[in-house]
Every structure is written in C-alpha cells, then in structure tokens.
C-alpha cells in the first residue's frame, strides 16, 4: 500500500525565506520568498515591513516588555503571524548556507536597532 502524501496547500507546511532589504534606522522590509519558481527556485510572494523605532519600543514597554529578549520574542511571533496570514498556511523558514533568509539573520537586524532603547534605563 502506498503512503498518502498531503498535497493540500492549506494543511502543508511551506518552506520560505524572508530576505531583508537594507535596514533603516527605524524599520526593515522583508521579502517573502518561496520555492515555487521554475525548478524550485525562489520567487517573491510579497513584502512586509517590520517597524522598530523608538516609538514602537516605547509602545512595547508600555505593554510590559522589559528586555531585548522579550522584544525579540514579540517580533518573532508577530512576523510569523503576519507571514502566516499572508500565505494562508503554516510555514517554516529555510535559510541558505550563509544563514540568509532565516530567523537568526532577521532577529539580529532587529536586535541591532532596538538594543539601545533597552540600555537607556
């Protein structure tokens, strides 16, 4: 008996990369790419902007976020929820050999810009 595979796009986990544009001091655009191009190549599905200005961090702090780690966890959950809503399916990030397009790269960009707002206290 052959094993049945799930081909329903609404129940399968999609592999994607979030490729950042050059970050600004207050935000970064993330290109949502999947592997649906010719021969499984990357194709852009959309773009989201992640804001991390001083105002955004003050807002997070007013909601009880006190550390950089808590803020990064917030950003990770928020990015995941936004991309999931955009793709209409669960997904996991698949970075390339250099780590581009994965959580580590994205969160390090955000951390680089928000750390200063947590050191001011």
């Amino acid at each position: 008996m052959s094993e049945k595979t799930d081909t329903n796009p609404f129940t399968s986990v999609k592999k994607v990369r979030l490729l950042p544009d050059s970050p600004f001091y207050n935000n970064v655009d993330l290109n949502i790419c999947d592997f649906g191009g010719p021969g499984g190549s990357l194709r852009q599905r959309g773009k989201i902007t992640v804001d991390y200005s001083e105002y955004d961090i003050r807002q997070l702090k007013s909601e009880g976020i006190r550390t950089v780690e808590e803020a990064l966890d917030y950003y990770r959950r928020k990015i995941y929820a936004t991309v999931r809503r955009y793709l209409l399916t669960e997904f996991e990030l698949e970075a390339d050999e250099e780590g581009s397009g994965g959580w580590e790269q994205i969160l390090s960009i955000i951390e680089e810009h928000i750390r200063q707002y947590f050191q001011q206290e």
Side-chain angles (χ1 to χ4, degrees), residues 50-63:
V50 178
D51 295 310
Y52 44 70
S53 70
E54 184 175 5
Y55 174 80
D56 297 308
I57 300 306
R58 276 199 316 264
Q59 207 170 15
L60 290 180
K61 287 180 174 182
S62 74
E63 295 172 11

Side-chain angles (χ1 to χ4, degrees), residues 57-95:
I57 300 306
R58 276 199 316 264
Q59 207 170 15
L60 290 180
K61 287 180 174 182
S62 74
E63 295 172 11
I65 292 178
R66 296 286 171 241
T67 66
V68 172
E69 291 74 23
E70 289 174 346
L72 291 174
D73 183 56
Y74 167 83
Y75 277 105
R76 183 183 185 122
R77 287 183 286 114
K78 186 72 168 177
I79 292 167
Y80 185 89
T82 302
V83 173
R84 182 180 182 276
R85 189 170 48 250
Y86 188 88
L87 296 174
L88 299 174
T89 188
E90 297 292 327
F91 73 94
E92 56 184 53
L93 291 186
E94 185 173 285

